[in-house]
C-alpha cells in the first residue's frame, strides 16, 4: 500500500494479486481532512480503481493514483 497526500486529501493506493495468476487489481480509498474534527474522514471507501487487472504491482498502483488524482481534480469527492 502507498499513501499520497494531495492538498487536504489522502489517497490510499492498494494492489492485490489476482488468485491463480500474476495479475494485479488496483484499489483506492480517499480520505479528506476535516478541519472541524482535526482528522481525516473517509470520502471514498475501498473500491476497484479500474475494471482491468495489470501485469505488475507498480502498474496497478499507478492506475489507482491516476484515478484518485482525477477524482480530486474533477471535484468528485
Amino acid at each position: 500500500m502507498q499513501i499520497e497526500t494531495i492538498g487536504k486529501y489522502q489517497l490510499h493506493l492498494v494492489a492485490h494479486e489476482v488468485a491463480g495468476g500474476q495479475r494485479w487489481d488496483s484499489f483506492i480509498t480517499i480520505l479528506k481532512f476535516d478541519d472541524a474534527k482535526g482528522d481525516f474522514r473517509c470520502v471514498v471507501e475501498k473500491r476497484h480503481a479500474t475494471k482491468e487487472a495489470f501485469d505488475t504491482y507498480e502498474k496497478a498502483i499507478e492506475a489507482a493514483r491516476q484515478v484518485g488524482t482525477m477524482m480530486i481534480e474533477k471535484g468528485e469527492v
Side-chain angles (χ1 to χ4, degrees):
M1 180 174 86
Q2 293 185 18
I3 299 174
E4 298 186 8
T5 302
I6 300 176
K8 290 189 171 202
Y9 294 92
Q10 272 190 351
L11 303 177
H12 292 215
L13 312 170
V14 179
H16 292 291
E17 191 170 10
V18 177
Q22 295 181 346
R23 307 281 296 163
W24 296 85
D25 279 338
S26 59
F27 296 86
I28 186 163
T29 299
I30 301 177
L31 304 161
K32 182 177 181 182
F33 191 77
D34 185 329
D35 292 321
K37 292 184 178 184
D39 200 2
F40 286 91
R41 64 180 177 84
C42 185
V43 293
V44 174
E45 283 287 334
K46 182 179 176 182
R47 69 173 208 184
H48 276 102
T50 67
K51 292 182 180 182
E52 66 180 293
F54 298 88
D55 58 352
T56 67
Y57 172 88
E58 292 78 14
K59 288 179 183 177
I61 292 292
E62 182 57 30
R65 177 183 295 112
Q66 290 175 2
V67 169
T69 301
M70 178 198 65
M71 290 175 71
I72 291 169
E73 289 174 351
K74 289 185 173 184
E76 295 177 357
V77 293

